[in-house]
Amino acid sequence: MDRVSSSMKQVSNPLPKVLSRRAGGGGLEAERESFERAQTVSINKAINAQEVAVKEKHARTCILGTHHEKGAQTFWSVVNRLPLSGNAVLCWKFCHVFHKLLRDGHSNVLKDSVRYKNELSDMSRMWGHLSEGYGQLCSIYLKLLRTKMEFHTKNPRFPGNLQMSDRQLDEAGENDVNNFFQLTVEMFDYLECELNLFQTVFSSLDMSRSVSVTAAGQCRLAPLIQVILDCSHLYDYTVKLLFKLHSCLPADTLQGHRDRFLEQFRKLKDLFYRSSNLQYFKRLIQIPQLPENPPNFLRASALSEHISPVVVIPAEASSPDSEPITDLVEMDTASQSLFDNKFDDIFGSSFSSDPFNFNSQNGMNKDDKDRLIEQLYGEIAALKEELENFKAESARGAVQLRGRASELEAELAEQRHLKQQAQDESEFLRAELEELKKQREDTEKAQRSLTEIERRAQANEQRYSKLKEKYSELVQNHADLLRKNAEVTKQVTVARQAQGDVEREKKELEDSFQRVSEQAQRKSQEQAEVLDTLKRELAASRQELQVLQGTLESSTQAGAEQSTRIAGLEQERDSLSQAAERHGEEMAALRAELQQLRDTLSHEQESSKMELEKLQTQLRDKESGEQVLQRRLAEEQFALLQGTAREAERMVQDALGRLEDPAHIGCTGSADCLLSRTLAASECVERLRDAHGKYLSNRAAVGSLLPCLALFAHLVSDTLLQGSATSHVAPMEPADRLLEMCKQCGSEAVSYLSALQDPGMVEGADCSLVMTCLGRISAIGEELRPRGLDVKQEELGDLVDKEMAATAAAIETAAARIEEMLSKARAGDTGVKLEVNERILGSCTGLMQAIHVLVLASKDLQREIVESGRGAASPKEFYAKNSRWTEGLISASKAVGWGATVMVDAADLVVQGKGTFEELMVCSREIAASTAQLVAASKVKADKDSANLCKLQQASRGVNQATAGVVASTKAGKSQVEEKDSMDFSSMTLTQIKRQEMDSQVRVLELENQLQKERQKLGELRKKHYELAGVAEGWEEDAAD
């Protein structure tokens, strides 16, 4: 650059004329024209009818064009001239390019595209009629683009590529929970459209073959890259918003959000997995994998475990069909070369080689100044080339560095997420470990306390058993001691009695000794003479006394021994008494403890008894409540039965009232329809009788009775009205009998329903009288049935052949008329009118050819049905045997021939300018419906594996496609011919504008009223057509059979 500046300083006035010319306005116009030409070429190359993927360089040129002009006017001006409604592949590639512009183009692309939203919706509905090829794909993709435009219009903070930070996401919701709630719902709808396109593309591909390496497969898979980019951001934002909502709202309120998220999570995870296995995506995009389990929104800490899915597009990634990517610097070079070429076109090529015409001035040779200028030009060209090389290398290096930086950022983000996840997991595991430790300690404490309680219980039980044994032993010892005490007391008593006897004997001996002494003294005094005798007696007495003294001494010794023994016994008694007292104290303690145990046991028994009584009371209360509820349920069931019977009675009475209504006199009906209604009512009465019997046996079985009552009232009312309508077209005598029987049937039905409402009459209610009346009505209907048809059954076969031949002839005539009209239009019309007429008549010719093929296929299938089903009978006998089917074929054939004639007339009027395009569209749809009726009537008795049936179905699909072509060409012609009146209100005053506004409102109300009336009229006409067609072809009779 220093060399350039130093060289330029040597020239005092460098190239002033050239610069002044380039600064003119013509250069800007030329630049604008070249820009539009380049954009048109790139758009046409990107959006073409070839079934290959859109080349990346053409799409990038379109994106740079939107940034250059700060909008999408040029894009839409070019796209509006493309036949998007006529070629599905062209429309598919348009959707792909438009999706790229909405994501990566200028922000004004959305504003410039909103005005075309309705056209995209119409095109989506149009392509939705085609179920094969790209039809459904285009329809769903257009719905997705419309949803994307509506989402960004409602939420302008979201850029087209959906890349936002968490702070920007919070600002988008304005920190309002209501805004976050609505934003989540809109994101769900947006993501649902993305997933629908994803699934539809995959379902349209044959995954058993390597479709991703074929041009057609890549054409369908290429737009999914944009879908994957959108889905990754939408999934991330949805998870974050749901965590925010769960932190502010109850979990039950967000149950619907969680269910919808789980469904979309499973779909998105499956689609990401299937996409990552395709070879086409492996070189173009790095698809993230979603976690194994969805986030748990009920746990706030789970937000830290969420990893935002990052989609990485390698810097060297390119489509297989794309050309090498050139640097952005080449745009400047291209524009400079384009400007130089334009300069050569204006001033000539010689001027570029000799811009100042120095060679021709004064006929002089080049001087030093010329050489200096040439040298400067050479240096400038070399410097430009070197500068361009530097720019190209720097741009390539910058692109590579940016790609590497994006990869490193993605890896860094992923590592950060992994690190954060590992930290969170470690903290979570640490918390769980601490919690487990606490639980283990609590469990050990509980185990120890349980062991201690069990040990104490065992010890108490052992202590109780020991105490019981000790108590038994003490009782036994006490009994033994009492026995011993009784024996000792008895022995003491015996000893005391013996001692008393000894003392008594001693006293007696003392008394006797004293008496003897006194006697001896008296004798000695009185009888001195007998002293010797007395001495001898005295000696004897002394001997005897000695013996007695010895005896007394021995007795005294025995008494002393007895006293000693008694003292020992008393001591033993005292010790036994003390031991008994001690045992008594122990017994008292044991009795106290035993009493305490008995009190505890009695208290527990009392509490258990009280609890048992309480439970028994609750059980009795529950049983009584259940009885009350059962009675209430029975009452409510009977009330429900009464209400249903009351409503059914009201319905039947309404039907009886309508029999006398003058407005009902104009209603007419057929005997076949009456018989079908009567048969249905009779079957309903049988079911009602069974349900009534079940209800009488089990009052809880009211559920089977209520539907039968409602159906009974409906069918009986329908039978009464149909009988009245049939009587209006019947002879007088049968009509009177039929009307009288209908009234009697209604009265019996009302009586039966009234009996069901009375609790005392429910068991006696009988519907046999209603059944009898229905049988009589059926008999009268049989009398009123027509006994003959306009055409004899033997002639049905000839009539079928005639009608099919007439239909084929009518179609050929219609095709000839269309060819004639096309020749007249080419001879008399020019310009847009000729183009519109040729397109409409050409589509009508294609429709007639498709109908002709369908009629031929129907005749072949009909012939096959007759040959396979008639057996040994003749075709006429087969047609006569299957008269209803034959009449359906005749009706369908007539409808096809009539529809072809009416459509040709409508096309003739449209070509002449006297008809409307809507009439032609309605005629084409009507003839498509008639052919569908013919197909349905033809394949009723056909074998499902028949080859002719397959041909007929293919011909039917051809008719549907031709009908869609007629509708599309008519719409295109209508939009091309119609001239929109320009609305210029600049010269009108405020009063005039107000007046025009009121007139417009009045006109709108009138048109809406007319539209409503016409729709009602159309509904009534279709209803009447269905009734007449059913009566004529015996549909109701077939349904009754």
Side-chain angles (χ1 to χ4, degrees), residues 743-755:
K743 292 181 180 178
Q744 184 179 354
C745 181
S747 301
E748 295 297 339
V750 170
S751 300
Y752 173 70
L753 294 174
S754 300

Side-chain angles (χ1 to χ4, degrees), residues 789-831:
L789 300 173
D790 294 336
V791 181
K792 296 181 180 180
Q793 292 187 353
E794 292 79 11
E795 300 175 359
L796 283 175
D798 297 335
L799 185 59
V800 171
D801 296 334
K802 290 179 182 179
E803 287 299 331
M804 295 298 290
T807 301
I811 293 172
E812 292 176 357
T813 304
R817 286 186 60 188
I818 291 174
E819 290 294 336
E820 183 180 354
M821 287 187 288
L822 184 59
S823 301
K824 290 182 180 179
R826 289 173 178 172
D829 298 334
T830 58

Side-chain angles (χ1 to χ4, degrees), residues 852-889:
H852 183 68
V853 173
L854 184 137
V855 170
L856 294 178
S858 177
K859 290 174 68 177
D860 295 337
L861 180 61
Q862 175 189 346
R863 190 179 302 109
E864 179 183 351
I865 292 171
V866 173
E867 291 297 329
S868 61
R870 66 187 180 90
S874 63
K876 292 184 179 180
E877 292 176 352
F878 178 83
Y879 285 124
K881 182 180 178 181
N882 300 277
S883 59
R884 294 299 183 189
W885 175 69
T886 306
E887 290 172 3
L889 281 178

Side-chain angles (χ1 to χ4, degrees), residues 461-472:
E461 187 175 357
Q462 293 176 359
R463 184 180 179 187
Y464 176 73
S465 60
K466 290 180 179 178
L467 287 174
K468 189 175 180 181
E469 293 175 357
K470 189 71 173 177
Y471 175 72
S472 301

